[in-house]
Amino acid sequence: MDGDGGGETDTDSETITINGYPYGVNETMIGEAQAVMEEAGYGDDERFELDWLQYTSPTWSEMGSTIASRLESAYIDMNQSEAAFSPLLETTRNGNHMAYTLGWIADYPGPQNFIQLLDPDNTVYVENENANGARLFWSEDANADEEVRQFMTEQFDRIENNPQDTEEAAQIRGEAAVNMEEGMWQEAALLPLYQSVGEDMWYDYVDFNPPGPMGSSRAKANNSVAGIEGKDRLSATSSTFSSLDPIASGNTASGGKIMDMFDALTNYRNGTTEVENLLATEYELSEDFRTYTFTLKEGVTFHDGSDLTAADFEYSIKRLMASSNSTNARFPVSVMGIEHETDGDGNVVLDSIGVEATDDYTLEITTGDPFGFSLSVLAYGAFSAVPEGIVGDIEGYDGEMEWEEFSQNPVGCGPFEFVNWESGNGGEFVMDTFDDYHGEGASFDGIDYAILSETQATYNRFLNQNADVGGVPTSQYQADSVSVEETDDIGRELGTYDLENGETVNYTKVPELGTFYIGFNMEETPKAVRQAMAYVINRQEFMTNVFKDRYEPAFHLTPPQIFPGGVEAYDQHVQGQ
């Protein structure tokens, strides 16, 4: 049912009301974990074997070991394994997991971007190639209350069906988002653990402007790095990634490189939440708030020498929505809601998509309903411009390159152009500064990444000044080595950090719009097991003993900065006030 901003979407299931976080706020409740397992029929002679898959990280390993030792008393034997980021994503996308660890950094600064991870229809990857939620597999076969599942679906519908930029619609969306947080609590479907921060360190010879709360994957290096004294190129380190096609990028490592090699209509300048025009010079919004008419910047050149026109954007966005290679179609299809029809199999009909180049430098995008975050969503790397017809993976285009070739040798119009990629741990990634960039280009010649999946190796590279910008892993982090000299107007703490080798580097810390969590395949993991884990997790203990108070405990999936009602409402809801 489409909402008009004047009332809520009808719901059939009963409202879930939970008075505060139900598994103990910063408590270790082993007795309650035992009780919930015994009630489900488990005991000394009937134990549950839980497989835990974590991203390769010493801190997650330490937390996992502590959780495992506590779960032993609750009749759960936990087997720990780890994987690099890309293999972890592939394993969980295919549903070959029970419990896993992951994080979500905002694609746009709205609660809906986080709550979508809990929408049951958006968590079943084997049935929905365009899913972009947590890998919960909250299907009808999930070990969960069907009424709660229906409730969660209805609440997400309320959010999507009330997109108007009105106070009443915003209130409906906020209430539904909080309801979904409570449904998540009731089923222990996903356990938020900590809020992420952006923390950068860099040597004095780098003129560095640290990214804002949207994070490094939303910042272009030509904006972040103004110069490098005594060097022509920036040396950096990256974790592993699997694709450089904007429509198929799904992690921070690839997202940052796509941000540097491609441009979109709009942009978060240096990772702040402020959106500015990039390839668009201006736009007009229709009276019904559904059609955006963008005027494009002229004289923009792709890395292959061709000129950017509106036809390139029409192709790029249609490809994002309709290509079988797209893993980010949810953003234009469901989040932004660009107008379209689907066939009997649920596939987007290409000719129905509400994106049209009306002349060489005018682009129209029409949404099914008004959506207040359209300009923010369009800044996401998936909406980047690629040359028209370069890949023949949608109807009407033969393609100049096979998809596999393009995804490993991309062509964009961003400030840096692709040179070389040797994938996997121990590999490298190289970009050169694009001399014909339409905007303010980089002041250095390019970026050389070493690809490393081991935290210690990454740190050693920074410690030895083989990386110009880096950080300190938590195992070596010393809180008393930080000296904060000021906090700027976007919340960045700026100062210095004393490294263990005696070097002092520049330091910044900024609260990010991101949450790290433990998720479950709900088809494989009983509710009692999920609840038992919730009871034995003491977030503040982990933040102090494992993370040395670098991060803040998380009880909601939605970060405090964008939680409905703000930071105070976040804390009050956790405490049941």
Side-chain angles (χ1 to χ4, degrees), residues 21 55 133 139 181 190 194 215 255 279 288 317 482 487 490 546 561:
Y21 183 70
Y55 176 64
S139 67
E181 296 276 2
L190 179 150
Y194 64 92
L279 291 178
D288 63 0
I317 297 176
V482 177
T487 300
I490 62 171
V546 178
Q561 305 97 306

Side-chain angles (χ1 to χ4, degrees), residues 30-261:
I30 295 177
E32 285 78 359
Q34 291 173 332
V36 75
M37 287 293 288
E38 289 171 355
E39 185 178 347
Y42 294 95
D44 289 327
D45 297 328
E46 185 65 30
R47 302 180 65 83
F48 185 84
E49 189 168 328
L50 176 67
D51 294 329
W52 160 294
L53 176 64
Q54 67 190 35
Y55 176 64
T56 302
S57 162
T59 50
W60 276 111
S61 180
E62 183 177 350
M63 284 190 295
S65 296
T66 300
I67 291 169
S69 67
R70 293 172 178 172
L71 289 177
E72 287 181 3
S73 299
Y75 320 113
I76 299 171
D77 299 317
M78 194 172 93
N79 305 313
Q80 287 181 254
S81 61
E82 60 182 42
F85 193 78
S86 294
L88 185 146
L89 290 179
E90 185 66 20
T91 296
T92 54
R93 170 175 282 277
N94 292 328
N96 298 323
H97 67 289
M98 296 177 73
Y100 72 104
T101 65
L102 206 58
W104 185 266
I105 306 298
D107 295 309
Y108 62 92
Q112 182 177 341
N113 186 231
F114 287 83
I115 293 301
Q116 67 173 347
L117 273 66
L118 302 173
D119 174 27
D121 293 339
N122 192 34
T123 71
V124 185
Y125 281 74
V126 292
E127 297 177 5
N128 180 5
E129 291 183 356
N130 296 323
N132 199 26
R135 280 85 159 142
L136 303 181
F137 288 83
W138 201 332
S139 67
E140 293 178 356
D141 296 326
N143 295 297
D145 189 329
E146 177 56 30
E147 289 190 1
V148 178
R149 180 179 178 276
Q150 180 182 351
F151 176 81
M152 297 291 278
T153 300
E154 291 169 350
Q155 296 309 304
F156 194 71
D157 286 346
R158 293 176 67 205
I159 294 172
E160 290 198 310
N161 294 338
N162 290 277
Q164 293 79 7
D165 187 18
T166 66
E167 184 176 340
E168 190 168 7
Q171 182 177 354
I172 292 171
R173 294 194 299 269
E175 290 174 353
V178 174
N179 286 343
M180 291 186 72
E181 296 276 2
E182 294 187 356
M184 175 190 73
W185 285 352
Q186 176 154 323
E187 289 297 324
L190 179 150
L191 306 179
L193 196 61
Y194 64 92
Q195 307 295 161
S196 65
V197 298
E199 199 172 46
D200 286 300
M201 300 177 189
W202 65 99
Y203 290 98
D204 278 338
Y205 59 80
V206 185
D207 187 354
F208 184 62
N209 181 20
M214 292 297 290
S216 58
S217 65
R218 299 293 176 266
K220 293 181 182 291
N222 59 310
N223 294 326
S224 298
V225 180
I228 316 168
E229 184 179 348
K231 294 182 63 178
D232 296 326
R233 301 179 67 86
L234 182 70
S235 298
T237 311
S238 171
S239 58
T240 58
F241 52 95
S242 58
S243 176
L244 292 168
D245 183 350
I247 71 170
S249 169
N251 60 60
T252 302
S254 60
K257 294 163 187 61
I258 286 169
M259 185 62 59
D260 280 335
M261 292 187 293

Side-chain angles (χ1 to χ4, degrees), residues 387-521:
E388 182 185 13
I390 195 167
V391 183
D393 54 357
I394 58 174
E395 184 180 350
Y397 299 94
D398 295 331
E400 301 170 21
M401 303 170 70
E402 295 294 328
W403 178 76
E404 290 78 8
E405 180 186 2
F406 178 76
S407 69
Q408 297 178 37
N409 298 272
V411 179
C413 60
F416 298 88
E417 59 182 325
F418 174 82
V419 175
N420 183 52
W421 176 24
E422 297 174 14
S423 63
N425 185 38
E428 68 169 16
F429 180 80
V430 180
M431 292 184 290
D432 281 348
T433 296
F434 182 45
D435 292 335
D436 294 327
Y437 184 57
H438 61 91
E440 182 181 347
S443 61
F444 49 97
D445 293 344
I447 308 176
D448 302 317
Y449 285 95
I451 300 176
L452 298 172
S453 60
E454 297 177 357
T455 304
Q456 188 61 48
T458 299
Y459 175 49
N460 288 341
R461 192 165 187 272
F462 178 60
L463 200 64
N464 295 327
Q465 295 193 31
N466 293 319
D468 303 320
V469 179
V472 177
T474 299
S475 57
Q476 274 94 357
Y477 178 83
Q478 299 294 329
D480 57 6
S481 293
V482 177
S483 297
V484 175
E485 298 169 1
E486 63 173 309
T487 300
D488 67 12
D489 56 359
I490 62 171
R492 296 181 301 187
E493 296 179 356
L494 302 170
T496 60
Y497 185 93
D498 297 325
L499 296 172
E500 60 187 67
N501 62 0
E503 292 283 341
T504 297
V505 293
N506 299 288
Y507 170 88
T508 187
K509 177 179 179 180
V510 59
E512 286 186 334
L513 297 181
T515 304
F516 285 78
Y517 58 82
I518 300 166
F520 301 92
N521 182 337

